[in-house]
């Protein structure tokens, strides 16, 4: 996902605090100074996981809890595909072994891609 879309998704959909994003964008470092050779990453590489309640819009519909996870966005985007698929499979295996609802969906978006038609 391109940086602009990723940052908007972090803040709006995953409720990442906007002030934390500005803190990192200003070049501030989240890693304590006492750690030698500390290197912090760019704001566009942030990973986050968040559980939210969604409904279909009907007042009588039960709210469904859904966990949204954005994996780290490395500079080499092709590595993100395999990581996302592996995480999805691991979650599916965990849910099945625990006897939980095993619905897991991996969505991979690349906003710079062109769509025919």
């Amino acid at each position: 996902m391109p940086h602009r879309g990723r940052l908007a998704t972090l803040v709006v959909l995953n409720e990442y605090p906007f002030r934390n994003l500005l803190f990192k964008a200003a070049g501030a470092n989240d890693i304590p100074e006492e750690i030698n050779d500390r290197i912090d990453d760019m704001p566009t590489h942030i990973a986050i996981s968040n559980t939210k309640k969604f409904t279909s819009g009907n007042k009588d519909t039960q709210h469904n809890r859904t966990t949204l996870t954005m994996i780290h966005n490395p500079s080499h985007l092709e590595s993100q595909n395999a990581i996302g698929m592996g995480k999805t499979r691991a979650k599916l295996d965990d849910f099945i072994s625990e006897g939980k609802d095993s619905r897991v969906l991996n969505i991979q978006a690349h906003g710079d891609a062109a769509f025919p038609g």
Side-chain angles (χ1 to χ4, degrees):
M1 181 179 289
H3 298 326
R4 293 173 306 281
R6 183 171 180 83
L7 295 178
T9 303
L10 277 169
V11 173
V12 176
L13 189 60
N14 275 314
E15 299 173 355
Y16 187 78
F18 189 60
R19 69 178 195 197
N20 292 11
L21 186 63
L22 293 177
F23 177 80
K24 287 186 72 75
N29 201 325
D30 287 334
I31 301 172
E33 291 182 22
E34 55 271 5
I35 296 177
N36 295 328
D37 299 325
R38 65 194 182 117
I39 298 174
D40 201 6
D41 212 350
M42 301 174 5
T44 54
H45 294 184
I46 296 170
I48 189 168
S49 190
N50 183 348
T51 301
K52 299 181 75 162
K53 290 182 181 179
F54 291 96
T55 183
S56 65
N58 184 348
K59 285 194 292 185
D60 298 329
T61 304
Q62 189 178 44
H63 292 292
N64 294 318
R65 294 173 54 86
T66 302
T67 301
L68 306 169
T69 302
M70 289 181 71
I71 60 173
H72 290 279
N73 186 25
S75 298
H76 301 285
L77 294 175
E78 62 276 1
S79 66
Q80 194 175 16
N81 297 336
I83 293 167
M85 292 174 74
K87 182 172 178 111
T88 301
R89 180 58 196 209
K91 281 288 183 190
L92 183 62
D93 290 346
D94 286 348
F95 289 160
I96 290 171
S97 70
E98 295 170 4
K100 294 182 179 177
D101 186 2
S102 59
R103 291 180 290 179
V104 180
L105 177 64
N106 179 356
I107 300 173
Q108 297 185 13
H110 194 293
D112 290 340
F115 292 95

